[in-house]
Amino acid sequence: MKNKFFLISICFLFTTANFSQNKKEVDTYLHTLFHILEEKNTEEFYASLYPKLKEQIPVAQVNSFLGELHSNPNFKTEVKNFKTLAIGNLVTDAENAYALVDYVSETHIEFTEEATQKLIAKGTNHFKKLYGERYTYDADKKIIVTSKDFKILMVYENRKWSHIPGVLKLKPYLSNWVKDEILTRLFAEE
């Protein structure tokens, strides 16, 4: 009996230590993800998505959307000043780990010389309504700066971290990819 108790204690310690390290792994993953987003690296961004989500979103669709966004002659966009707000508790099952992450970033939209005054007025009005207090516009530099909070789901599966962006919008579909009991435990913190 003592040997069983000792063995169970050792297994518990190693399992706990393994998953306690994963919050650090999540943080490391986030820094890599933020760098990918800052560099506008579409291929790496797509590769970092949760594999079961990628089955639903073809790479051509992501490339098309981001390509149009980054090559628009009327404005240049940059996403920067990322800050992790919170890494939720890790929820684990036999092989996998999950965590909800909240972060904030800024989007800088700089209008180019090709942008008409009408387009600039339309853009500034649109983003002001959309972001309210989290919106600024520098008329001299023709730059809109917005700030937004994001929630993503980090998934450790097959010895690799990946993520599902826009978790709140995708919440009705998450059970297609993640067990209901895991989702219940994750969102219990909310």
Side-chain angles (χ1 to χ4, degrees):
M1 186 66 175
K2 282 184 178 181
N3 288 341
K4 264 188 181 175
F5 179 73
F6 180 71
L7 185 59
I8 290 170
S9 297
I10 295 295
C11 287
F12 178 75
L13 286 173
F14 280 114
T15 303
T16 304
N18 183 28
F19 283 115
S20 71
Q21 295 300 313
N22 284 342
K23 271 205 175 185
K24 291 180 184 176
E25 291 174 20
V26 169
D27 192 49
T28 300
Y29 178 92
L30 289 170
H31 286 290
T32 301
L33 178 61
F34 297 160
H35 180 73
I36 289 169
L37 292 169
E38 284 178 353
E39 296 297 316
K40 303 177 188 176
N41 191 325
T42 304
E43 289 176 18
E44 285 187 44
F45 174 75
Y46 188 79
S48 70
L49 293 173
Y50 183 51
K52 292 177 184 175
L53 175 63
K54 288 193 282 190
E55 293 171 6
Q56 307 298 312
I57 304 171
V59 68
Q61 187 177 353
V62 174
N63 285 339
S64 174
F65 171 74
L66 293 176
E68 287 178 31
L69 180 66
H70 298 315
S71 65
N72 191 308
N74 294 304
F75 56 83
K76 298 176 191 172
T77 60
E78 284 185 279
V79 182
K80 54 187 178 180
N81 299 330
F82 291 89
K83 180 180 177 187
T84 302
L85 300 174
I87 298 174
N89 290 331
L90 287 169
V91 174
T92 62
D93 60 17
E95 307 94 27
N96 306 323
Y98 308 84
L100 289 173
V101 174
D102 294 307
Y103 73 89
V104 65
S105 68
E106 290 179 353
T107 300
H108 294 235
I109 303 167
E110 180 180 0
F111 292 101
T112 64
E113 295 300 319
E114 286 80 19
T116 64
Q117 289 300 338
K118 184 177 178 181
L119 177 71
I120 294 171
K122 185 177 178 181
T124 54
N125 287 334
H126 171 75
F127 285 105
K128 187 174 186 176
K129 286 179 188 174
L130 195 62
Y131 289 94
E133 292 180 12
R134 298 184 110 182
Y135 159 92
T136 60
Y137 178 64
D138 183 331
D140 294 333
K141 295 180 181 178
K142 294 194 233 178
I143 295 178
I144 294 172
V145 177
T146 63
S147 173
K148 184 174 179 182
D149 294 352
F150 294 91
K151 184 178 287 293
I152 62 175
L153 174 59
M154 301 290 301
V155 180
Y156 183 76
E157 189 175 274
N158 298 322
R159 297 178 160 185
K160 182 179 176 185
W161 283 102
S162 61
H163 73 282
I164 300 173
V167 164
L168 297 180
K169 287 184 180 179
L170 292 176
K171 194 172 181 181
Y173 308 103
L174 291 176
S175 62
N176 293 324
W177 310 307
V178 179
K179 296 175 193 171
D180 285 330
E181 60 266 20
I182 298 292
L183 293 173
T184 300
R185 289 171 56 199
L186 283 167
F187 286 99
E189 295 178 11
E190 298 284 300

